[in-house]
């Protein structure tokens, strides 16, 4: 069962400050934020953090997830290996809106070394405020999910 309004956030060491800014931003909007770290700056491994956040989503503990690393790319690749995850990296608000409207993305990835905090918060808002359109897009999302076997 999915817990509505609960969102998991995670990152590697390259994105701690931006992750914490995003967590505070969405908490102020009423989201129940599950921040699974890390909190200390030692070098760490983004696949583990991406997978941990993804597990929170596919288990139903969290409705959505936001993950970050330096580029947003590595942690996105790791999250997308978890069955049931549809995660996109976004550096613009249009893409962030569209990955929910057309792709029913359940996770968003952002590169902390790519975008500044102001744009990152706008990207997060675009993602969270968009809704899946269904219809022909549902057929395509089903085709994506079928590739997982
Ligand atoms: C860490 O230096 C960096 O490789 C990582 O944050 C990320 O950008 C990988 O995709």
């Amino acid at each position: 069962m999915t817990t509505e309004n609960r969102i998991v956030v995670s990152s590697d060491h390259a994105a701690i400050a931006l992750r914490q800014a995003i967590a505070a931003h969405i908490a102020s909007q009423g989201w129940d934020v599950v921040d699974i770290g890390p909190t200390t700056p030692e070098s760490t491994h983004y696949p583990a953090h991406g997978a941990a956040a993804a597990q929170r989503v596919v288990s139903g503990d969290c409705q959505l997830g936001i993950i970050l690393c330096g580029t947003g790319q590595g942690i996105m690749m790791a999250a997308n290996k978890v069955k049931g995850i549809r995660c996109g990296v976004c550096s613009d608000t249009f893409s962030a809106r569209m990955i929910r409207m057309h792709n029913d993305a359940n996770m968003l990835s952002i590169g902390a070394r790519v975008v500044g905090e102001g744009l990152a918060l706008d990207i997060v808002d675009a993602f969270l405020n968009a809704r899946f359109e269904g219809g022909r897009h549902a057929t395509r999302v089903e085709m994506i999910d079928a590739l997982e076997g």
Side-chain angles (χ1 to χ4, degrees):
M1 190 171 88
T2 298
T3 305
E4 296 292 329
N5 224 40
R6 182 180 292 168
I7 187 163
V8 60
V9 297
S10 188
S11 73
D12 71 358
H13 57 281
I16 291 173
L18 184 55
R19 187 195 80 235
Q20 291 174 336
I22 289 170
H25 177 71
I26 59 180
S28 76
Q29 297 173 348
W31 285 89
D32 178 8
V33 181
V34 180
D35 187 342
I36 59 171
T39 55
T40 56
E42 297 84 34
S43 183
T44 183
H45 303 302
Y46 59 81
H49 301 293
Q55 290 295 346
R56 294 282 188 139
V57 174
V58 296
S59 71
D61 181 46
C62 294
Q63 180 191 353
L64 296 168
I66 299 176
I67 51 178
L68 306 93
C69 64
T71 60
Q73 300 290 350
I75 200 164
M76 174 275 290
M77 292 177 194
N80 275 323
K81 293 292 184 186
V82 176
K83 186 171 177 153
I85 291 300
R86 291 178 301 279
C87 181
V89 182
C90 293
S91 301
D92 65 275
T93 56
F94 177 76
S95 298
R97 193 162 63 247
M98 296 308 288
I99 64 169
R100 284 200 79 192
M101 290 175 67
H102 284 191
N103 314 120
D104 199 20
N106 48 17
M107 295 187 77
L108 166 69
S109 182
I110 298 175
R113 294 173 178 159
V114 181
V115 299
E117 182 178 313
L119 177 55
L121 298 183
D122 281 354
I123 289 168
V124 167
D125 287 346
F127 178 76
L128 295 180
N129 291 330
R131 294 291 176 272
F132 182 49
E133 287 182 351
R136 69 186 187 282
H137 302 296
T139 302
R140 295 163 186 167
V141 169
E142 286 166 12
M143 290 172 72
I144 294 173
D145 290 348
L147 295 171
E148 292 176 327

